[in-house]
Amino acid sequence: MKPAIRRGALIVAACVLAASVGAHAATFRFADQGDVMSMDPYMLNESLLLGFMGNVYEGLTGFGKGLETAPALATDWKQTAPTVWRFNLRKGVKFHDGSPFTADDVIFSYERARGDGSDVKLYLAPIREIRKIDATTIDIITTDPYPILPQAISNWYILSKSWCEKNNTLRPVDVRKGTENYASNHANGTGPFALKSREPGVKTVLVPNPDWWGKAEHNVTEAVFTPIANDATRVAALISGEIDMMNPVPLQDVPRVQAAANLKVIQGPEMRTIFLGMDQKRDELLYSNIKGRNPFKDRRVRQAFYQAIDIEAIRSRIMRNASTPSGLMVAPTIRGFAPELNKRLPHDAEAAKKLLAEAGYPAGFEVGMNCPNDRYVNDAEICQAVASMLAKVGVKVNLVAEPKALFFPKVIKRDASFYLFGWTPASLDSHNALFALMATPGEGGQGQSNLGAYSNPKLDALTRQIASEVDQTRRNAMIAEAFKLHQDDIGHIPLHQQMLTWGLRKTVDVVQLANSFNYLRWVTVK
Amino acid sequence: MLQVAARLWNSDLGWSLRQSPVAIVAAIVAFVCIGAAAFAPWLAPHDPFDLASLDLLDALSPPAWLAEGKASYPLGTDDQGRDVLSGILYGARISLLVGIASVLLSMVIGVTVGLVSGYVGGAVDAIVMRVADVQLSFPAILIALLVDGIARVALSGEMHSTLALWVLVLSIGLSGWVQYARTVRGSTLVERRKEYVQAAQLIGRGAGGIMFRHLLPNVTGPVLVIGTIHLATAIITEATLSFLGVGMPVTTPSLGTLIRIGNDFLFSGDWWMSLFPGAALVLLALSVNLLGDWLRDALNPRLR
């Protein structure tokens, strides 16, 4: 080889090398229809927030690629007595600010997450105490035996004690009161990504944490998250290459995105169940023309609402077949799902009218309905359809569909009569749904998201037993029994499980977890 | 009625109209639009506000002349099964109502402020005109958004939905008064030195009486012209606000709301949902605007 040619070959090789290095370092830009409402992982128990902050913060346990429980800040754990769990903490882990992670941070986070204003209280409800054994060993003591503890706490993230004390953010922001503190817009976790900058409602930028304890499987150098509420704008942004990924692809645009040469759609059933809730506690509804009594206390009214809904029309028209109608409050992939109970009451407008008449409302009544318009797939459209279906049986729905920043505080305050909501059991276990959505609201997190305060003491007792039952067969039987009670009472009106529909550039690879979490540590951009 | 029409037709204004084919076409189109909107309940095949009449299974039907179209929905349906044609007729009604009401509001505020400012003069005049200058430095849409934002905070979600129309009128009305005020003030400055005003002052009429009984009739010409052009602007502003999602709610859609709904379906090929309301908005705003232009020229003695 002549020197000149050799030199040329070298230059070419260098260029190829440079290009490939360039390709292995990339900015990942992703969008959702709504914003991550806070950087504080205790502010709102919402999949988007928890999934996003799961890049920055970590729990003692976490998820693997198949949603199996995986070690995170705890390397291993074992049950030393029926109510005692020994967790060995990972050694040598540092928070993003450089301070070391120790047992004190776990205990501090426990106090913070179960205290005033926390929306993740429910995960810690079975825990009586956390005891420090030494700097890297703790014992978690539960009130009753709680065999699913490691699964149940994977969304409870650990914050740094010294950082929270220094920045005076000892308590989380209460979503019902809506004030901000330092942790709302700053973050200091142990996770694979650190928060670089945050503009609420505009843009949140994460950068890799070079000191992360795990092995990085991603090649992201910067991750930029933007909320884009408008469906058409979001699609345009993906098509034009302004973003690399978005959730959800508007269902009407799935074929369009699939057809684009450089784009792909990943679709899979999500573990979230969308349902309608009704205020069954107040003696008089807040938003209704019926005074002096609460129609929703009457089971016949709840059944009338249920039967007025044509779920097949919602599936085929609003959801474009990207949903699975559900008769239960949990998805088939949730542990304890009872397939024999997964039957819906038939859609029957005449029966609904008759039921309303029997209950004393032959001419129907008026009720206000609250609905988010940037949280679930076609949420506002579902609510509009429900409103017109109820209009056919004489119920006039005054629909308020608004962004989740307004919606969540309102319904979590229980300032609603009739609302649309969605729930993914964080532990991927039916007990979570029973405990959070169906149990009578009380101190300690039970019924925390039972926003209509449905109550059945028998279900409460079963929920308590299920928590500590070890035998799978007996446990499943009790779960089914509890579901049956809730179904017979029509405590809520389940609608469907939606499909997770992510649109991506073909050069991007992600792992789509069925709980909708998108971990950046598994994102590669070519 | 006929006599009035005949007198108008034979007046100077009528003559000017006959000379301008554009104005005639614009007048006819505007007349048809306004008529269709006014008689929407009798003309529309469906009542889009009656939720009980919607059938989700009819959702997303294309216009009747296409393969999957249904004869009962001439221009197709939206994602909730709402008839697009009925939606346009009722939507135009709301757009016009908001437009006219906000123009009237702007007019009342602007004319009053202009008269007072021009007639009283001095510090009042200086302050009012500086306020007007400040407001003029903001785009009207920004002020409308601001007023709407305040109303949203002040009213609860439920109340806001029911009062949405009046919030819109208020926000558009408050953003457009400056033009009227400036024009009226200018005319007032000229008129107030004239003999009839001095005569009125001499016989002891109060300031209010002079302003509204004597000055007002002499300054209304330009106000009418601004009003007509402003009507087109107000309709567009309303559509913009509704398109941005801060205007009329989906349950009582205006043209802008309809376009917004349709906009989400543009990529998927369901074009009829945004095209027809968009075309209706263009026709309505353009015809009113052209009429306004013609009126301005017709009333301008120097152009005659």
Side-chain angles (χ1 to χ4, degrees):
Chain A
M1 219 185 256
K2 281 181 187 168
I5 297 179
R6 199 181 299 154
R7 205 163 48 233
L10 267 176
I11 291 171
V12 170
C15 289
V16 169
L17 198 69
S20 63
V21 168
H24 280 290
T27 300
F28 176 62
R29 296 150 304 168
F30 60 125
D32 192 280
Q33 58 176 336
D35 195 17
V36 177
M37 280 168 62
S38 171
M39 296 290 109
D40 190 329
Y42 304 162
M43 181 262 186
L44 186 67
N45 181 29
E46 179 213 29
S47 299
L48 177 68
L49 191 152
L50 293 172
F52 185 86
M53 293 320 290
N55 293 306
V56 177
Y57 287 106
E58 292 169 302
L60 295 177
T61 62
F63 294 110
K65 285 181 185 171
L67 276 181
E68 70 280 8
T69 302
L73 285 177
T75 49
D76 58 278
W77 50 86
K78 64 174 189 286
Q79 221 168 342
T80 53
T83 58
V84 182
W85 293 74
R86 168 73 50 96
F87 281 79
N88 289 313
L89 306 181
R90 199 173 287 279
K91 296 187 178 77
V93 173
K94 281 191 168 31
F95 284 97
H96 298 150
D97 68 352
S99 59
F101 157 71
T102 66
D104 293 325
D105 298 311
V106 178
I107 291 168
F108 168 78
S109 298
Y110 168 64
E111 295 299 339
R112 191 177 189 271
R114 72 185 192 125
D116 282 349
S118 167
D119 201 41
V120 296
K121 262 184 208 170
L122 72 155
Y123 298 132
L124 307 172
I127 300 175
R128 201 181 66 202
E129 189 191 348
I130 297 187
R131 216 174 276 159
K132 178 181 172 181
I133 306 300
D134 60 45
T136 56
T137 317
I138 55 160
D139 273 351
I140 298 186
I141 294 129
T142 57
T143 318
D144 297 307
Y146 190 53
I148 61 164
L149 179 77
Q151 289 83 48
I153 56 172
S154 46
N155 282 345
W156 163 50
Y157 298 136
I158 304 300
L159 274 67
S160 156
K161 183 178 184 212
S162 59
W163 181 79
C164 288
E165 281 171 349
K166 194 173 77 194
N167 295 304
N168 193 24
T169 174
L170 298 172
R171 288 194 189 293
V173 167
D174 190 329
V175 59
R176 293 164 295 187
K177 296 179 186 137
T179 47
E180 289 194 352
N181 68 18
Y182 191 77
S184 315
N185 292 314
H186 300 82
N188 178 38
T190 55
F193 283 82
L195 178 67
K196 185 182 169 198
S197 67
R198 155 122 175 122
E199 290 170 66
V202 184
K203 186 163 106 166
T204 307
V205 182
L206 302 182
V207 288
N209 167 16
D211 300 325
W212 188 48
W213 53 267
K215 186 177 165 295
E217 288 178 49
H218 65 87
N219 68 344
V220 176
T221 50
E222 190 181 52
V224 182
F225 173 85
T226 35
I228 306 179
N230 186 284
D231 281 352
T233 314
R234 209 162 58 247
V235 176
L238 185 70
I239 289 174
S240 68
E242 201 181 301
I243 53 173
D244 302 311
M245 186 206 147
M246 66 135 146
N247 167 59
V249 181
L251 295 171
Q252 64 271 17
D253 296 326
V254 171
R256 171 81 173 80
V257 174
Q258 263 165 345
N262 59 339
L263 302 178
K264 62 181 172 185
V265 172
I266 322 184
Q267 211 168 31
E270 190 178 358
M271 291 170 147
R272 186 196 311 279
T273 301
I274 304 291
F275 58 85
L276 300 170
M278 299 152 283
D279 180 358
Q280 292 153 64
K281 176 144 198 239
R282 287 191 177 83
D283 292 324
E284 181 180 296
L285 286 180
L286 289 178
Y287 305 103
S288 172
N289 62 344
I290 301 292
K291 296 297 163 205
R293 56 184 171 153
N294 175 351
F296 286 136
K297 277 184 189 276
D298 190 328
R299 186 190 172 282
R300 289 170 295 190
V301 173
R302 303 200 293 270
Q303 187 180 343
F305 272 52
Y306 194 138
Q307 295 206 279
I309 292 166
D310 183 355
I311 197 71
E312 276 307 314
I314 292 180
R315 186 184 66 87
S316 66
R317 292 303 189 274
I318 307 265
M319 300 302 287
R320 305 206 181 206
N321 300 325
S323 70
T324 315
S326 180
L328 280 177
M329 297 289 285
V330 295
T333 40
I334 299 295
R335 276 189 298 273
F337 175 79
E340 70 283 1
L341 291 176
N342 190 21
K343 284 192 273 303
R344 290 183 59 84
L345 290 176
H347 162 56
D348 187 340
E350 286 312 309
K353 269 188 219 161
K354 230 175 101 205
L355 282 163
L356 281 175
E358 279 171 24
Y361 309 98
F365 59 93
E366 261 184 59
V367 65
M369 179 180 193
N370 291 89
C371 190
N373 62 13
D374 58 355
R375 181 65 199 106
Y376 313 114
V377 176
N378 286 343
D379 38 16
E381 289 75 12
I382 296 170
C383 289
Q384 285 176 48
V386 166
S388 79
M389 287 164 184
L390 285 171
K392 290 194 176 70
V393 299
V395 175
K396 181 168 183 284
V397 171
N398 300 315
L399 177 61
V400 181
E402 52 196 357
K404 64 183 181 181
L406 298 169
F407 167 81
F408 277 133
K410 192 181 280 169
V411 292
I412 292 175
K413 258 193 285 192
R414 299 170 192 271
D415 181 13
S417 298
F418 182 45
Y419 62 93
L420 178 104
F421 212 67
W423 190 263
T424 309
S427 55
L428 316 181
D429 186 284
S430 293
H431 174 259
N432 170 286
L434 284 166
F435 184 82
L437 291 180
M438 301 177 229
T440 310
E443 287 303 310
Q446 70 268 34
Q448 185 181 306
S449 299
N450 179 0
L451 304 174
Y454 158 76
S455 174
N456 183 335
K458 270 199 230 153
L459 183 141
D460 293 347
L462 275 168
T463 304
R464 270 194 300 277
Q465 285 169 23
I466 291 162
S468 48
E469 181 56 64
V470 189
D471 183 273
Q472 274 307 319
T473 326
R474 270 210 305 268
R475 189 171 191 269
N476 285 347
M478 283 195 286
I479 290 174
E481 196 187 335
F483 281 167
K484 185 84 176 59
L485 287 173
H486 177 267
Q487 207 169 40
D488 289 344
D489 287 342
I490 311 181
H492 295 79
I493 302 172
L495 293 177
H496 57 235
Q497 281 96 35
Q498 62 192 26
M499 295 289 266
L500 267 178
T501 314
W502 294 359
L504 300 103
R505 296 206 312 161
K506 277 205 174 124
T507 51
V508 175
D509 278 317
V510 298
V511 175
Q512 185 178 54
L513 297 180
N515 67 351
S516 85
F517 284 18
N518 176 20
Y519 283 130
L520 292 170
R521 60 174 179 266
W522 297 323
V523 172
T524 49
V525 184
K526 282 200 262 310
Chain B
M1 188 69 194
L2 264 178
Q3 280 172 341
V4 175
R7 246 177 61 195
L8 262 176
W9 188 248
N10 292 320
S11 69
D12 285 356
L13 220 52
W15 178 84
S16 164
L17 183 67
R18 283 187 307 243
Q19 298 306 305
S20 166
V22 174
I24 294 174
V25 174
I28 292 170
V29 172
F31 190 75
V32 170
C33 284
I34 293 169
F39 295 102
W42 293 275
L43 291 173
H46 305 268
D47 179 357
F49 298 168
D50 178 14
L51 286 177
S53 74
L54 302 186
D55 190 346
L56 195 53
L57 291 171
D58 286 338
L60 301 167
S61 305
W65 62 86
L66 291 181
E68 297 190 355
K70 296 190 174 74
S72 51
Y73 303 109
L75 298 183
T77 59
D78 72 0
D79 61 322
Q80 295 286 340
R82 207 177 279 124
D83 179 37
V84 171
L85 176 64
S86 311
I88 291 173
L89 292 173
Y90 277 83
R93 198 175 153 94
I94 291 180
S95 293
L96 271 169
L97 186 63
V98 172
I100 292 170
S102 52
V103 164
L104 285 179
L105 180 64
S106 288
M107 226 182 236
V108 169
I109 299 174
V111 168
T112 313
V113 167
L115 276 174
V116 172
S117 181
Y119 184 76
V120 178
V124 174
D125 182 36
I127 292 169
V128 167
M129 282 304 116
R130 287 304 78 75
V131 171
D133 286 344
V134 170
Q135 171 152 355
L136 216 54
S137 65
F138 295 104
I141 189 89
L142 202 67
I143 294 165
L145 277 171
L146 189 77
V147 175
D148 189 85
I150 294 169
R152 232 159 244 274
V153 175
L155 302 169
S156 69
E158 288 78 7
M159 258 172 82
H160 189 272
S161 320
T162 40
L163 292 176
L165 195 139
W166 301 109
V167 171
L168 270 178
V169 168
L170 192 70
S171 50
I172 301 172
L174 286 182
S175 69
W177 61 272
V178 175
Q179 286 175 325
Y180 299 95
R182 289 196 148 190
T183 314
V184 170
R185 172 180 171 270
S187 312
T188 309
L189 284 179
V190 175
E191 294 290 327
R192 79 170 212 218
R193 295 202 182 78
K194 293 202 173 148
E195 289 86 352
Y196 69 92
V197 178
Q198 288 169 355
Q201 282 166 339
L202 277 176
I203 59 168
R205 282 218 70 161
I210 294 174
M211 278 189 267
F212 289 97
R213 293 298 296 277
H214 297 271
L215 282 172
L216 184 59
N218 290 295
V219 298
T220 45
V223 169
L224 275 181
V225 175
I226 298 175
T228 321
I229 295 173
H230 187 207
L231 177 60
T233 323
I235 290 170
I236 295 281
T237 309
E238 187 281 329
T240 312
L241 289 175
S242 293
F243 182 79
L244 293 175
V246 295
M248 294 302 292
V250 276
T251 41
T252 46
S254 72
L255 288 176
T257 319
L258 292 173
I259 298 171
R260 171 165 63 93
I261 298 171
N263 185 48
D264 283 345
F265 295 87
L266 266 184
F267 280 115
S268 60
D270 304 335
W271 49 272
W272 58 90
M273 271 185 261
S274 49
L275 182 81
F276 294 121
L281 179 67
V282 168
L283 276 181
L284 181 61
L286 187 66
S287 60
V288 173
N289 209 333
L290 287 174
L291 267 185
D293 276 354
W294 159 77
L295 196 64
R296 183 190 57 207
D297 293 349
L299 290 181
N300 188 340
R302 284 187 208 95
L303 285 178
R304 241 178 236 164

